[in-house]
C-alpha cells in the first residue's frame, strides 16, 4: 500500500526517519512518503487538527507530541489490540499518557526530559557543589554571577530557562510546582489542584529570579534563546532538553567540555522532589487512513525496539523502552543517556490525559498565570486563585 | 455608504431604448465582472458563510459535521445561579476578547499612522529626481519582500536582549542605558511589534503613494512656487489633497490588513497578552483550543468590527467609489 | 457620404437639460459648423451624432435611417478630438492603422497604403514611426485627422481640432481641412468650434447654438449679413459687432442698433462722438476703442495704422445701409 | 550666485541625501544583517558583529542541496507569477467595468469586493480547505493560486479601478469610434497606459503571494508542491528545538534576491508618464 | 514695478542648449511680448525670468540687482501658465485667494474684495465656488489670470494665457489685459504668445525669438514695417507675408520679395498672374489664395466679400512702396 507519514522531525531526524522507512519498505513492500512539517509544534498541531477535521485521507500516520494524542483521540485508531504484545516493553507512564478512555491512541517513539545544565568550570572555580534544591541553585547562581561580573563579564547571568508565555513555560513551571509538592495542575482524576500554597511558593521563587539571576529578557526566551545565552558562556545554570547537550559540546562552542547535566533541583516542603516534565513523540494512525492495517503496521514498526535503538544511537533520542537503557551499544554511543535515566525517572506528565481536548486551553491559562507572576503582574497566590476559577469554568461538569 | 447619486443616463433609461453602445458596454461589464465574482464567491464567499454558520453552532474540530445549532450562545448566553444572580458568558463579555480588540485597534491605529507618514516621506523621496533612484527604490522594497515569518524571526533575533544587535547598537550609541527585552516586557512588546510591522509594510504604502504622486501635474507646483507657498505648505495644501484618492485606497487596505494582523505577532510575541490580537486569539480558539465555534464567532465579530471601521472610514474620509464616467 | 437629420433631439445629463430640442438637417457632403459660446452644447450635439452619447429623446437619422441605437463604429463616422486623443503608446502609423486592423479581413498591404496616402495628404509621412509625444501639437492634430481619414468615413466629425494649435499652425491646418473637404466632397463634415473665423472660412453652413437650442442656421455670409438675432450678430464677425442702445438707437427706430467696426467711419461730421480709450494696431488694420456712453466701448476698424491717442475725442458715423436694427426681443427689424 | 545661496542649496542637497541614506540603511540593515548571519555558523550566530567576520557558504550549500529548496523556489515563482497574471487579468477587466461603465449597484459591488478582504484568513481556512478538496486541487499549485486570489484580487481591483478612472475619456472614445470593443479597449489601449499601476500592483501582489505562509502550509502536503516560505519554515536544525538561523537567513537571502531583481527590472515602468503626448498638455 | 535685464543668458537642459545667449532689457512698466515659433524657447525664457528654472550662465537683474539665485516667490512676480496650473482641489475662490492667505496679516475681508474685483474683471464671479474641473477651458484660464492679478505683482508673466479661449473671449480678455496694463502701468509685463495678433495689439515692444536667440526687438509697428529679417517679416502680420523668390524677385533686385496680402491689389493689369485655389470670406474682409508658382500660395487680402471661384485666373500687383526686399541671407535691403 502507499502510506504517508507526516512528521515535524527536523534535519537529521528526518534523514533518520527516511532510513528507517526504507527498511520498512524493504520489509513489507509498502511505500511510504514523508510529509515534513515545520518544527513549530503549534503550527503542526493546528495543521493536524484541520486535516483531521476535514477527514484528510492523504495522511495515514501522524507524529504526535505527548500532549496531543488525548486531544485528537477521536480521530485516531485504537491501537490497543495491535500493540497488545509490545506495550509491556515501554515505560508504563508513557503508555498511560497515550491512553484515553482505555484506548491507546498512539505508540511512543522516543521520550524526552529536561535537565539542569551547569558549568563545571565555574562551580569548580568557586568551589560549589551541584545544587540539588532550587534555593541552593539560586544562591550559587547569584554568587557566581556577581563574582563573574565583578571579574569583567557584565553579560554573565545565573540561570536561564524558558520564560516566554508558551507551552515551554508550562513545562518549566510544572517542574517547579511539582518539585515543591504542589501537584500537577490537574490531577489524574481531573481535580484542579493548582491553587495551593506550595505551588504559589514555587512560582514566587521563579519570579524572584527575574532581574536577579535571570535577565528580564528571559520572559521572552524559548529554548533557542536560552541556549544562546548559555552556549555563549553567559549563564551558570540552564534548564533545557537533551538536544542542548550535544550542541553545547559542538566544536565551536565556548562551553564545550565545561558543563554537565544534573537532575533539576528539588523544591522545599513536604513532598519536595526533583521533577522533569515528560516530553517525547509518538506515532498515531488516522482513522481516515485508507489502509489502516498497513498504517498500523508502520506505526508499530516505528515504535519498535529496533528502531528505538537505532534512534538512540543515531539521534541520541531517549528510548521509551526501559531495556534499551541497559543496552551496551546505546550507552556506548550516548553515554550521557545514563544521566538521563535518573532524570527520566522523575518525569512528570503534563495533565493532557485528564483534561483531554481542553488541554491546550488549560496549558495556556496556566502559562499565562505563571508569566503574569514572573512579569510582576500580581502575586503567585492571586494569579493561581484566578487560574483555579478559570479552570473550573473551563472544566464545567467534567473535562 | 458613500453611494453617490448616479446622475447617469442609465437610471432614467426605463423609457428609452438603450443604444447599442451602452448595451455592449453593459454586457461587456457583466462578462468582465463575472469571473471575478465567481472566483471571489468560491474562494471567499463560501468559506465565509461557513464560518458565520459555525459561529452559531457548538462545532469543534473534532466534531465539525455533527455540530448543533445553538443560536447566539457563542456570543452571549446567561444562566441564573441559584443565588439569583445572572451570570453572563460568551464572547461579548469575554475580557480576553476585548483585550484583543483593544490591542488590535491600538496596533492598527499606530501602525497605519506611522506607515502612512513614513510611506509618504519615502514616496516623496522616490518621487524626486536624483541619481541612483532605481537602486533606492529596489532597496526600499526589501522589507516588503522578505517573507513575514522570516522577518518576524529576524527581528525577534535582532531585538533579543542578550545577543540582539539592536540592544548592542543602542548601548554603543548611548541611546539605551541597559539591554532591553523588547519582546518580553508588556510595555515594550507592542512597540516592538509596531516597529517591525512599520518597517515591513511602509514600502507597500510608499509604492502606492508614489503611484499617486506620479499623477499630480508638475505645473501646479510651479504655480505654488510663484505664489510663494513654502514647500511644507505645498505638501499639506497641494500634494496631500491630490494624492488623497490613492492614499485612501492604500490606507483602507492597510487598515484591513492591520486589523487582521496575524503572522507577525504569532511569530514575534505569540502569547503576550499585551499584543494578542483578534486574529491570534481566533486562531488559538479555532485550532489550538477545542473551540472551533467560539473561534468562528470571534472571526465573525472581527469581520463585523472591520466592516464597521471601514464604513466609518469611508464615510468620514468621503472616499469616492464613483466618479468614473458612463 | 451621408445626410444627417436631427429630429427634436434632446439630451439631459441627470436633471440637467443640455440639448433642448434640436431640429437640423445636414446635407450629404456638406461642411456644417457648430458654433456657440462655451457650454452651449456643441460638443454634446456632436457626440450625439457620433453615438458616443445616448440620445434622451428625439430621432437621429443617417441617410433616412434611424441610428439612435447604432454603435459609433457602425455609423461610418470618424472623429477628431480637441485633445487629439491619440494612443500615446502607439506610433503614428499604429495610431492611424488601429481602426483598420480591428476590421476583419483587412489586408496588411491595403492598410499600409491607406495610411500612407493619408499621411502624404497631411505631410506627416516622415513621422510615421514616431510616438505622439515626440510630435508638436500641430503634428499631433494632423495625425489625429489622418487617423480619421484612413477610416474613410461617410461622416467626419471634428471637435475644435485647432484650438490647441498656435496661430500660424491654426491657419495652416484650417486650410488643410478646407482642402480636405474639397478633396472629399462626398464626405459630410460636422465641425465644432468657438472660433468664428474658423466657422466663417470653413463652413458651407453654420449652425449657431445657444444654450442647447439652435439660434440660426445658414451660410457664413447669410449669418454675417442677415443675422437672425442680436446673439448671432454679436457672435459672427471680428471684431464683435458694436451694439448701441438707448437714444442713439431710437433715432434709428429700433431698440438696439448693431454696427460692425468696419462699417463705422471716423469723420469730422460724424453723428456720434466718442473718446478714444484704446488703440490696437494689427499692421494691416487697426481697432480704435471709443467710449461712447454705451455699455461696452465701440470698436472702429480702420485700414492701416491708427495714430489716435487715448483721451482724444473723435466723431464717427455708421455707413447707412450697413446698420442692423433689432427690436426689444433681439430680433432684427428688416 | 551668492555664496549664501550655494551654502543653503548645498545643505538642502546634503540633508536630502542624508534622508535617502537613512531610508536605505533602515530598509536594508536587517537584510544586511541577514546576509551577515547567513555566512555564520555554530555559536558565531549568537555573537554580535557589524561586519563580516567569517565567510562560509556552508549555509547556502546546505539550503540548496538539502531537501527540495530549488524546487520550492520554482514553485514559488510559478505560483506567484500565475497568481499575479490571473489577478491582473481578472482585475483589469473588472476594474474596467467598475470604473468605466455605469450600471446600478456599482458602489455596492466595490464594497462587496472590499468586504472580501476584511475576513481574517484564519477564519476562512477551514472552509477554503473544504472547497479545495472538493475541487480536487489539494496539494497542487492550483490550490494556492486559487486561494491567493482572496487577497490579491480585491486589492488589485481597487487599485486598478482608482487608476483607470484617471485615464482620459477621449482616448477611450477615440477607440470606440475606431470600432474597438471593450475588450480591445482594455487590452490594446488601456493596458499599455496603465503600466505604472499594473507593475506596482502586480509587484505588490507578487510579493504577497510569494510570502504567503498559512495557505501554502495548509493546502500542500508534499515537499514538491510547497513554496519557499514553507520550505524556510521546514528548514530545521539537528533537533526539534534548534533553529537553524544560518540556513534560514541564507534561504531568506536567496528568496529576496529575485524580488530585488524584479523590482530593478520593472522600476522604470513603476514611474513612467506614458500618457504624455496622447492628450494635450 | 521693476526693470529686468538679461545679460548673455544661456540655458541648457542636459546637453541641449535651449537659450543660446540672450541680452535684453525690459523697462519698468513696459509690456514686453515674446513671440516665436513653437519650441523656440519662449516659455523657457519666461521661466528663467520667473526663477522656476535655473539659469545656466549669464546674469539676470531685477532693478539692477542680480536675482539669478532668488526664489520665484521673492521676485515679486505673478505668472499665468499655458496649462492653467490651477489647484484642482480648490475652488476658484480658493485658487485665487491662496497666494494671499499665505501672506501674514492679510485681512480676510480685504482678500475677498481683491478676489472679487479680479473675478468681476474676468467675468468669473459666478464660478467662485466651483472646482476647476467643473469649468470649461476658457473659464479655467480666466481663473488663472485672476489668480495672478490678485497677487498684485511687480512683474506679471504670462505664458500664452489666451490660447485656450474662444475667439470672442480672446478678444475681450486681450482688451482686459491691455486695460490691466494701462491700469497697472507701474507693473512690468512679460507675455509669451505665438499669436502675432496678440503680440501686435498688446505689446509696447515685441521680442521675436528664433531657436533660442533674439531675432529682433522693437515696437509692433517697427516690426511690421521694418522687419530685420525674412523670419520676422513672415512672423508678424496676418495673413502671413507672401514671399516670392526667383525671377519675380529678381525683377525687384532682390533675392526674396516680401509682400503682405493687404498690399496686393487685384487688377486687370496686374504684373503677376495667379490661379485662385481657395477663398475665405471672413465678413469684413476676405482672403484669396492664389497659385502663382511660388512654394506656397500667395494670399491676397480684400475688403468685404470675395466672390472668386477656385480655378479662376487673376492678375495682381504689389503696391510699390509696400514691398519688402531681402537678400540671400534673409536680411532686408533698404
Ligand atoms: N457628462 C456630463 N455630465 C453632466 N453635464 C455635462 C456632461 N457633459 C457636458 N455637460 C454639460 O453640458 C453642457 C454643454 O457641454 P458641452 O461640452 O457640449 O459644451 P460645448 O459647447 O462643447 O462647450 P466648449 O466650447 O467649452 O467645449 C455644459 O454645461 C456641461 O457642463
Ligand atoms: N525640461 C526640459 N527638458 C528638456 N528639454 C526641454 C525642457 N523644457 C523645454 N525643453 C525644450 O526646450 C525647447 C524650448 O521649449 P519651450 O517650452 O521654451 O518652447 P516654446 O517656445 O514655449 O514653445 P511652445 O510655443 O510650443 O510653447 C523645446 O525644444 C523643448 O523640447
Ligand atoms: Mg466642447
Ligand atoms: Mg511654451
Amino acid at each position: 500500500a502507499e502510506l504517508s507519514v507526516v512528521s515535524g522531525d527536523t534535519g537529521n531526524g528526518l534523514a533518520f526517519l527516511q532510513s528507517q522507512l526504507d527498511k520498512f519498505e524493504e520489509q513489507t513492500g509498502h511505500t511510504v512518503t514523508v510529509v515534513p512539517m515545520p518544527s513549530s509544534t503549534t503550527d503542526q498541531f493546528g495543521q493536524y487538527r484541520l486535516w483531521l477535521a476535514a477527514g484528510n485521507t492523504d495522511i495515514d500516520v501522524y507524529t504526535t507530541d505527548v500532549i496531543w494524542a488525548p486531544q485528537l483521540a477521536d480521530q485516531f485508531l485504537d491501537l490497543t489490540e495491535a500493540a497488545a504484545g509490545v506495550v509491556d516493553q515501554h515505560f508504563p507512564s508513557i503508555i498511560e499518557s497515550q491512553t484515553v478512555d482505555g484506548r491507546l491512541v498512539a505508540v511512543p517513539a522516543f521520550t524526552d526530559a529536561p535537565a539542569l545544565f551547569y558549568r563545571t568550570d565555574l562551580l569548580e572555580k568557586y568551589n560549589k557543589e551541584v545544587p540539588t534544591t532550587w534555593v541552593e541553585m539560586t544562591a550559587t547562581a547569584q554568587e557566581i554571577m556577581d563574582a563573574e561580573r565583578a571579574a569583567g563579564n557584565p553579560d554573565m547571568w545565573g540561570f536561564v530557562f524558558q520564560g516566554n508565555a508558551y507551552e515551554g513555560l508550562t513545562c518549566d513551571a510544572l517542574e517547579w510546582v511539582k518539585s515543591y509538592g504542589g501537584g500537577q495542575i490537574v490531577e489524574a482524576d481531573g481535580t484542579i489542584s493548582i491553587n495551593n500554597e506550595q505551588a504559589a511558593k514555587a512560582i514566587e521563587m521563579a519570579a524572584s529570579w527575574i532581574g536577579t539571576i535571570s535577565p528580564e529578557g528571559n520572559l521572552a526566551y524559548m529554548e533557542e534563546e536560552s541556549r544562546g545565552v548559555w552556549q555563549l558562556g553567559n549563564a551558570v545554570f540552564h534548564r533545557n532538553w537533551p538536544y542542548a547537550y550535544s550542541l553545547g559540546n559542538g566544536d565551536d562552542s565556548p562551553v564545550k567540555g565545561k558543563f554537565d547535566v544534573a537532575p533539576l533541583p528539588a523544591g522545599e516542603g513536604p513532598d519536595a522532589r526533583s521533577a522533569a516534565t515528560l516530553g517525547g513523540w509518538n506515532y498515531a494512525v488516522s482513522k481516515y487512513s485508507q489502509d489502516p492495517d498497513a498504517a498500523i503496521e508502520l506505526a508499530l514498526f516505528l515504535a519498535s525496539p529496533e528502531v528505538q535503538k537505532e534512534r538512540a544511537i543515531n539521534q541520541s533520542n531517549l528510548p521509551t523502552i526501559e531495556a534499551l537503557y541497559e543496552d551496551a551499544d546505546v550507552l556506548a554511543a550516548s553515554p550521557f543517556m545514563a544521566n538521563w535515566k535518573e532524570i527520566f525517572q522523575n518525569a512528570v506528565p503534563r495533565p493532557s490525559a485528564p483534561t483531554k481536548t481542553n488541554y491546550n486551553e488549560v496549558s495556556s491559562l496556566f502559562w499565562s498565570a505563571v508569566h503574569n507572576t514572573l512579569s510582576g503582574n500580581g502575586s503567585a497566590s492571586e494569579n493561581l486563585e484566578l487560574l483555579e476559577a478559570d479552570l473550573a469554568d473551563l472544566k464545567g461538569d467534567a473535562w | 455608504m458613500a453611494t453617490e447619486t448616479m446622475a447617469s443616463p442609465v437610471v432614467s433609461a426605463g423609457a428609452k431604448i438603450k443604444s447599442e453602445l451602452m448595451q455592449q458596454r453593459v454586457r461587456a461589464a457583466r462578462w468582465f465582472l463575472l469571473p471575478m465574482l465567481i472566483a471571489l464567491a468560491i474562494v471567499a464567499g463560501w468559506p465565509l458563510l461557513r464560518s458565520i454558520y459555525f459561529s452559531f453552532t457548538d462545532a469543534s474540530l473534532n466534531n465539525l459535521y455533527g455540530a448543533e445549532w445553538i443560536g447566539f450562545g457563542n456570543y452571549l448566553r446567561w444562566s441564573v445561579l441559584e443565588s439569583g444572580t445572572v451570570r453572563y458568558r460568551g464572547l461579548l463579555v469575554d475580557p480576553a476578547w476585548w483585550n484583543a480588540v483593544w490591542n488590535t485597534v491600538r496596533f492598527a491605529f499606530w501602525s497605519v499612522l506611522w506607515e502612512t507618514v513614513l510611506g509618504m516621506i519615502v514616496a516623496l523621496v522616490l518621487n524626486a529626481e536624483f541619481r541612483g533612484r532605481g537602486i533606492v527604490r529596489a532597496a526600499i522594497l526589501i522589507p516588503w519582500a522578505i517573507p513575514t515569518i522570516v522577518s518576524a524571526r529576524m527581528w525577534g533575533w535582532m531585538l533579543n536582549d542578550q545577543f540582539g544587535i539592536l540592544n548592542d547598537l543602542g548601548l554603543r550609541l548611548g541611546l539605551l542605558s541597559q539591554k532591553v527585552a523588547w519582546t518580553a516586557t508588556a510595555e515594550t512588546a507592542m512597540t516592538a511589534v509596531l516597529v517591525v510591522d512599520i518597517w515591513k509594510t511602509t514600502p507597500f504604502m510608499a509604492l502606492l503613494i508614489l503611484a499617486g504622486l506620479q499623477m499630480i501635474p508638475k505645473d501646479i507646483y510651479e504655480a505654488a512656487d510663484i505664489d510663494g507657498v513654502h514647500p511644507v505648505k505645498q505638501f499639506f495644501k497641494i500634494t496631500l489633497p491630490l494624492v488623497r484618492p490613492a492614499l485612501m485606497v492604500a490606507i483602507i487596505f492597510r487598515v484591513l490588513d492591520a486589523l487582521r494582523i496575524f503572522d507577525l505577532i504569532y511569530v514575534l510575541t505569540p502569547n503576550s497578552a499585551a499584543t494578542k490580537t483578534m486574529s491570534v486569539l481566533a486562531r488559538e480558539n479555532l485550532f489550538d483550543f477545542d473551540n472551533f465555534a467560539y473561534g468562528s464567532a470571534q472571526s465573525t465579530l472581527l469581520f463585523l468590527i472591520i466592516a464597521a471601521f471601514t464604513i466609518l472610514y469611508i464615510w468620514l474620509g468621503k472616499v469616492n467609489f464613483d466618479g468614473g464616467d458612463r | 457620404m451621408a445626410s444627417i437629420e436631427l429630429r427634436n433631439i434632446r439630451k439631459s445629463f441627470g436633471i440637467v437639460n443640455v440639448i433642448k430640442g434640436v431640429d437640423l438637417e445636414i446635407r450629404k457632403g456638406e461642411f456644417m459648423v457648430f458654433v456657440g459660446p462655451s457650454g452651449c452644447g456643441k460638443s454634446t450635439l456632436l457626440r450625439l451624432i457620433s453615438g458616443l452619447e445616448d440620445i434622451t429623446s428625439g430621432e437621429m437619422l443617417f441617410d433616412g435611417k434611424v441610428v439612435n441605437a447604432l454603435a459609433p463604429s457602425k455609423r461610418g463616422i470618424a472623429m477628431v478630438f480637441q485633445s487629439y486623443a491619440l494612443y500615446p503608446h502607439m506610433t503614428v502609423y499604429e495610431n492611424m492603422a488601429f481602426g483598420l486592423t480591428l476590421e476583419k479581413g483587412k489586408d496588411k498591404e491595403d492598410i499600409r497604403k491607406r495610411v500612407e496616402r493619408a499621411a502624404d495628404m497631411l505631410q506627416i509621412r516622415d513621422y510615421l514611426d514616431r510616438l505622439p509625444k515626440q510630435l508638436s501639437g500641430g503634428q499631433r492634430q494632423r495625425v489625429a485627422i489622418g487617423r480619421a481619414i484612413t477610416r474613410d468615413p461617410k461622416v467626419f466629425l471634428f471637435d475644435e481640432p485647432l484650438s490647441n494649435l498656435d496661430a500660424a499652425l491654426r491657419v495652416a491646418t484650417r486650410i488643410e481641412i478646407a482642402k480636405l473637404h474639397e478633396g472629399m466632397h462626398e464626405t459630410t463634415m460636422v465641425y465644432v468650434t468657438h472660433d468664428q473665423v474658423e466657422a466663417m472660412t470653413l463652413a458651407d453652413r453654420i449652425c449657431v447654438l445657444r444654450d442647447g437650442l439652435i439660434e440660426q442656421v445658414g451660410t457664413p455670409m447669410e449669418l454675417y449679413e442677415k443675422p437672425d438675432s442680436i446673439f448671432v450678430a454679436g457672435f459672427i464677425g471680428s471684431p464683435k459687432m458694436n451694439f448701441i442702445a438707448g437714444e442713439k438707437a431710437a433715432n434709428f427706430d429700433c431698440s438696439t442698433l448693431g454696427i460692425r467696426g468696419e462699417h463705422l467711419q471716423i469723420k469730422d461730421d460724424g453723428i456720434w462722438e466718442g473718446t478714444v480709450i484704446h488703440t490696437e494696431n494689427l499692421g494691416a488694420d487697426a481697432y480704435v476703442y471709443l467710449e461712447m456712453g454705451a455699455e461696452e466701448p465701440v470698436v472702429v476698424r480702420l485700414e492701416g495704422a491708427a495714430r489716435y491717442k487715448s483721451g482724444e475725442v473723435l466723431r464717427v458715423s455708421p455707413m447707412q445701409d450697413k446698420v442692423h436694427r433689432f427690436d426689444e426681443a433681439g430680433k432684427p427689424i428688416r | 550666485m551668492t555664496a549664501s545661496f550655494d551654502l543653503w542649496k548645498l545643505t538642502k542637497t546634503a540633508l536630502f541625501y542624508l534622508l535617502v541614506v537613512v531610508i536605505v540603511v533602515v530598509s536594508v540593515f536587517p537584510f544586511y544583517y541577514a546576509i551577515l548571519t547567513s555566512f555564520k555558523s555554530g555559536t558565531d550566530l549568537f555573537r554580535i558583529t557589524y561586519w563580516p567576520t567569517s565567510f562560509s557558504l556552508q549555509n547556502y550549500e546546505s539550503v540548496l542541496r538539502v531537501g527540495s529548496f530549488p524546487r520550492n523556489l520554482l514553485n514559488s515563482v510559478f505560483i506567484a507569477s500565475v497568481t499575479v497574471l490571473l489577478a491582473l487579468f481578472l482585475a483589469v477587466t473588472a476594474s474596467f467595468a467598475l470604473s468605466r461603465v455605469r450600471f446600478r449597484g456599482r458602489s455596492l459591488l466595490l464594497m462587496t469586493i472590499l468586504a472580501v478582504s476584511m475576513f481574517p484568513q484564519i477564519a476562512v481556512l477551514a472552509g477554503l480547505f473544504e472547497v479545495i478538496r472538493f475541487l480536487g486541487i489539494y496539494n497542487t499549485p492550483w490550490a494556492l493560486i486559487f486561494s491567493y486570489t482572496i487577497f490579491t484580487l480585491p486589492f488589485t481591483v481597487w487599485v486598478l479601478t482608482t487608476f483607470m478612472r484617471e485615464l482620459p475619456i477621449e482616448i477611450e472614445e477615440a477607440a470606440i469610434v475606431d470600432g474597438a470593443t471593450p475588450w480591445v479597449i482594455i487590452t490594446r489601449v488601456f493596458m499599455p497606459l496603465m503600466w505604472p499601476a499594473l507593475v506596482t500592483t502586480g509587484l505588490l501582489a507578487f510579493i504577497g503571494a510569494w510570502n504567503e505562509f498559512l495557505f501554502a502550509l495548509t493546502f500542500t502536503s508534499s515537499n514538491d508542491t510547497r513554496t519557499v516560505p514553507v520550505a524556510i519554515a521546514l528548514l530545521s536544525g539537528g533537533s526539534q528545538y534548534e533553529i537553524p538561523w544560518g540556513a534560514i537567513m541564507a534561504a531568506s537571502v536567496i528568496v529576496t534576491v529575485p524580488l530585488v531583481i524584479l523590482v530593478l527590472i520593472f522600476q522604470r515602468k513603476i514611474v513612467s508618464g506614458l500618457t504624455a503626448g496622447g492628450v494635450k498638455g
Side-chain angles (χ1 to χ4, degrees), chain D residues 100-118:
Chain D
R100 290 287 172 157
V101 184
R102 275 183 185 278
F103 57 88
R104 251 163 294 183
R106 185 162 64 160
S107 26
L108 190 71
L109 205 58
L110 266 167
M111 263 317 265
T112 315
I113 293 166
L114 191 63
V116 166
S117 55
M118 290 179 202

Side-chain angles (χ1 to χ4, degrees), chain B residues 7 16 19-22 326, chain C residues 47 52 54-55 69 71 74:
Chain B
K16 72 181 174 60
S19 75
E20 207 178 322
L21 178 64
M22 295 303 157
R326 44 184 64 249
Chain C
R47 291 160 55 80
L52 284 171
D54 273 1
I55 294 165
K74 298 197 184 135

Side-chain angles (χ1 to χ4, degrees), chain A residues 83-375:
Chain A
V86 294
V87 161
D88 294 344
Q89 302 171 354
H90 299 266
F91 288 110
S93 61
I94 296 178
I95 294 296
E96 204 175 312
S97 74
Q98 301 305 305
T99 308
V100 181
D101 297 334
R103 299 167 67 237
L104 180 66
V105 289
V107 286
F110 64 93
T111 184
D112 211 356
L116 182 72
F117 290 66
Y118 61 92
R119 289 279 296 274
T120 46
D121 60 330
L122 290 176
L123 289 189
E124 222 164 273
K125 181 172 169 192
Y126 294 96
N127 204 8
K128 295 286 173 191
E129 291 296 307
V130 179
T132 54
T133 69
W134 291 113
V135 177
E136 269 176 55
M137 189 214 73
T138 311
T140 309
Q142 184 78 51
E143 198 183 323
I144 297 180
M145 180 182 99
D146 290 345
E148 279 293 298
R149 287 195 175 186
N153 182 0
D155 289 332
M156 180 56 92
W157 292 96
F159 179 51
V160 286
F161 58 99
Q162 292 75 49
N164 202 338
Y166 79 120
E167 187 63 27
L169 181 56
T170 296
C171 298
D172 283 37
L174 178 62
E175 285 153 7
W176 308 329
V177 171
K178 186 75 179 174
S179 70
Y180 269 75
Q184 41 200 64
I185 310 168
V186 177
E187 301 306 312
D189 62 2
T191 43
I192 298 161
S193 65
I194 186 59
N195 188 17
N196 65 68
E197 236 173 77
Q198 286 305 103
K201 225 164 133 188
I203 295 169
E204 282 298 354
M205 166 205 65
S208 73
W209 294 336
I210 301 297
T212 58
I213 59 169
S214 305
E216 287 260 346
N218 206 132
L219 290 172
Y221 288 179
M222 301 205 265
E223 282 81 359
E224 276 299 84
E225 285 88 350
S226 58
R227 180 175 75 85
V229 177
W230 158 256
Q231 198 162 316
L232 283 176
N234 289 339
V236 186
F237 297 109
H238 175 211
R239 180 259 181 218
N240 213 330
W241 307 89
Y243 86 98
Y245 189 91
S246 41
L247 288 174
N249 274 325
D251 284 341
D252 61 347
S253 167
V255 297
K256 183 182 181 186
K258 296 181 187 167
F259 72 95
D260 206 345
V261 295
L264 289 167
E268 289 179 333
D271 291 319
R273 52 171 280 202
S274 168
T277 301
L278 185 65
W281 291 80
N282 312 275
Y283 288 105
V285 179
S286 163
K287 79 171 178 191
Y288 307 104
S289 168
Q290 282 167 328
D291 193 345
D293 293 337
I296 291 173
E297 200 179 332
L298 174 60
L300 288 177
F301 168 79
L302 289 171
S304 66
E306 296 77 43
V307 176
Q308 290 217 2
K309 180 174 171 181
E310 288 276 309
R311 210 184 254 291
I313 292 168
N314 272 320
Q315 296 297 111
S316 309
N317 288 145
L318 301 171
T320 64
I321 296 170
E322 227 167 341
L324 288 177
Y325 285 87
E326 265 109 57
D327 189 294
D329 295 341
V330 172
L331 288 180
S334 317
F336 75 96
M337 247 175 228
N339 292 351
W340 246 277
K341 192 178 177 194
E342 187 191 348
I343 292 165
F344 180 71
Q345 277 158 354
N346 292 322
V348 197
R350 279 163 276 170
S352 63
T355 54
K356 294 177 193 156
T357 54
N358 285 314
Y359 172 72
N360 274 344
E361 208 168 348
V362 170
S363 176
S364 158
L365 288 169
F366 178 61
W367 82 53
S368 301
V370 175
H371 196 263
N372 275 340
T373 316
L374 296 189
S375 0

Side-chain angles (χ1 to χ4, degrees), chain D residues 34-103:
Chain D
I35 296 177
L36 218 61
T37 310
S38 71
F39 292 135
K40 295 182 184 175
S41 60
T43 315
D44 261 359
L45 287 170
F46 295 105
R47 290 203 185 91
I48 298 166
T49 49
Y50 291 84
W51 308 108
T53 45
S54 59
F55 182 81
S56 118
L57 288 174
Q58 181 208 326
N59 287 318
Y60 288 89
E61 230 181 277
S62 70
V63 165
L64 288 174
R65 198 159 34 79
V66 176
S68 47
F69 197 80
R71 173 69 204 240
N72 300 137
L73 256 174
L74 275 182
N75 284 342
S76 271
V77 169
F78 175 75
I79 289 169
S81 311
V82 176
T83 302
V84 167
L85 290 181
L86 197 73
L88 284 184
F89 169 77
L90 292 178
V92 164
T93 49
S95 57
F96 175 83
L98 289 169
S99 65
R100 290 287 172 157
V101 184
R102 275 183 185 278
F103 57 88

